[in-house]
Amino acid sequence: MLKIGEFSKLSRVSIRMLRHYDELGLLAPQSIDPFTGYRYYGEDQLPLAGQICALKDMGFGLAEVKAILACQRDRAVLDRFLADKQAELTRREETLRQQLRLLDTARKRLRKDEPMMQYNVSLKTLPQRQVASVRMTLPSYDQEGMLWSVLVSETASLKLQPDDPCYCSVIFHDGEYKEADVDVEAQKTVKGTYPDTEHVKFKTMPPVTFASATYRGPYSKISEVNAAVAAWVRDNGYVYDGFAFNIYHVSPHETSNPEEFVTEVCYPVRKP
């Protein structure tokens, strides 16, 4: 029999952790002195202590370790535990790689004396959503209000139920900047089912992953925000995967002060 201190040295598990393992039912001492409360372990318990340490080194928490030890003779179940942890760590590894890329990009921008945090770009996903949509060819981009006027006027009698959250967005279908005759689509997320009108179509939009930057201020800033998002896409190894769009969090519908507008500039992306 080994005293707890001796067992701690041989197993390389602290006395505090051995007491914790006992509390969790992972590794109990073989005997406890009724007078002193001193704990004793057997040499044959060293392999179990080693198993616990090995599983912890793989990234398993103690609750998971206990579940694994309870079914360790079932190879199929044990393999599922290992496969699930492997998948989890792979996802975390990709997240860490992405964070390292962002840090590397930020440091490069600092070395070039570029503003690092003027526009914060992040990767997001919009879930599948139901939208009311109006798509038209407009004389120019600054005529976008025409789309919203049509959407509002043609659906007034339908009493649309906004989704929560409600996204008001515009998609630019040309794929490049044009001086005139621009193909633009306005969308508003809604709940429920409604009949199409002359110009308003109701449809389901698929999920989309996108890089975006949200800024406060007038629409005249959009060009520089576009440039910031495009630089992020390039520097972080993504490629474009669809038409650019804007989400209007605070628009002229809510305020007449351009300094209070809140706009999110979005580019669908994917890994090549």
Side-chain angles (χ1 to χ4, degrees):
M1 296 287 286
L2 300 170
K3 293 181 179 179
I4 189 171
E6 297 169 328
F7 189 83
S8 173
K9 291 178 182 178
L10 292 173
S11 64
R12 297 187 178 181
V13 179
S14 69
I15 292 176
R16 181 183 65 81
M17 285 307 299
L18 286 173
R19 293 181 183 276
H20 189 45
Y21 290 171
D22 183 20
E23 293 171 356
L24 296 176
L26 276 174
L27 179 59
Q30 285 190 352
S31 66
I32 301 177
D33 189 299
F35 299 104
T36 64
Y38 215 78
R39 299 161 183 250
Y40 293 87
Y41 292 80
E43 289 87 344
D44 59 348
Q45 291 180 289
L46 288 170
L48 177 56
Q51 281 182 297
I52 295 171
C53 290
L55 290 168
K56 286 180 62 183
D57 289 343
M58 292 179 197
F60 290 104
L62 291 180
E64 294 173 307
V65 170
K66 185 174 182 179
I68 292 170
L69 293 176
C71 62
Q72 60 180 321
R73 293 185 180 181
D74 189 328
R75 298 176 68 88
V77 173
L78 179 58
D79 186 60
R80 282 200 298 274
F81 270 108
L82 298 177
D84 289 346
K85 179 58 66 175
Q86 188 175 38
E88 176 193 330
L89 293 177
T90 299
R91 290 191 296 271
R92 288 168 56 187
E93 179 185 29
E94 178 55 33
T95 299
L96 289 172
R97 289 183 184 277
Q98 171 68 7
Q99 291 170 340
L100 287 170
R101 284 193 293 268
L102 292 173
L103 287 167
D104 184 59
T105 299
R107 295 188 68 200
K108 286 178 179 177
R109 293 184 68 179
L110 280 176
R111 287 194 289 270
K112 294 178 182 178
D113 291 328
E114 296 180 15
M116 184 182 71
M117 294 294 185
Q118 185 174 1
Y119 300 112
N120 296 312
V121 181
S122 58
L123 194 67
K124 299 182 180 180
T125 298
L126 268 182
Q128 179 176 293
R129 58 215 179 274
Q130 181 78 3
V131 301
S133 164
V134 178
R135 181 174 176 178
M136 292 181 175
T137 299
L138 303 177
S140 60
Y141 293 107
D142 61 5
Q143 299 299 308
E144 184 184 302
M146 295 170 57
L147 298 173
W148 297 108
S149 294
V150 170
L151 193 153
V152 170
S153 63
E154 291 194 10
T155 61
S157 63
L158 300 179
K159 297 181 180 179
L160 299 182
Q161 179 80 27
D163 201 357
D164 185 18
C166 181
Y167 296 107
C168 291
S169 60
V170 163
I171 303 173
F172 304 99
H173 286 281
D174 292 307
E176 60 182 358
Y177 179 81
K178 293 178 65 179
E179 294 290 345
D181 298 326
V182 294
D183 185 358
V184 184
E185 178 182 358
Q187 294 183 349
K188 178 178 180 178
T189 53
V190 296
K191 291 190 292 186
T193 302
Y194 308 91
D196 291 344
T197 67
E198 181 181 359
H199 299 99
V200 181
K201 309 301 177 186
F202 294 90
K203 60 184 179 179
T204 300
M205 296 295 293
V208 58
T209 297
F210 59 97
S212 75
T214 302
Y215 79 97
R216 181 186 178 95
Y219 295 139
S220 58
K221 291 184 176 181
I222 280 185
S223 292
E224 57 188 86
V225 182
N226 277 331
V229 179
W232 186 95
V233 172
R234 178 198 66 217
D235 294 342
N236 290 279
Y238 285 88
V239 296
Y240 299 108
D241 193 32
F243 297 114
F245 60 98
N246 293 338
I247 298 175
Y248 300 114
H249 298 286
V250 179
S251 69
H253 179 69
E254 288 81 28
T255 177
S256 60
N257 183 0
E259 296 299 328
E260 296 176 351
F261 295 168
V262 178
T263 308
E264 187 168 3
V265 176
C266 310
Y267 283 82
V269 295
R270 62 174 173 82
K271 279 295 186 179

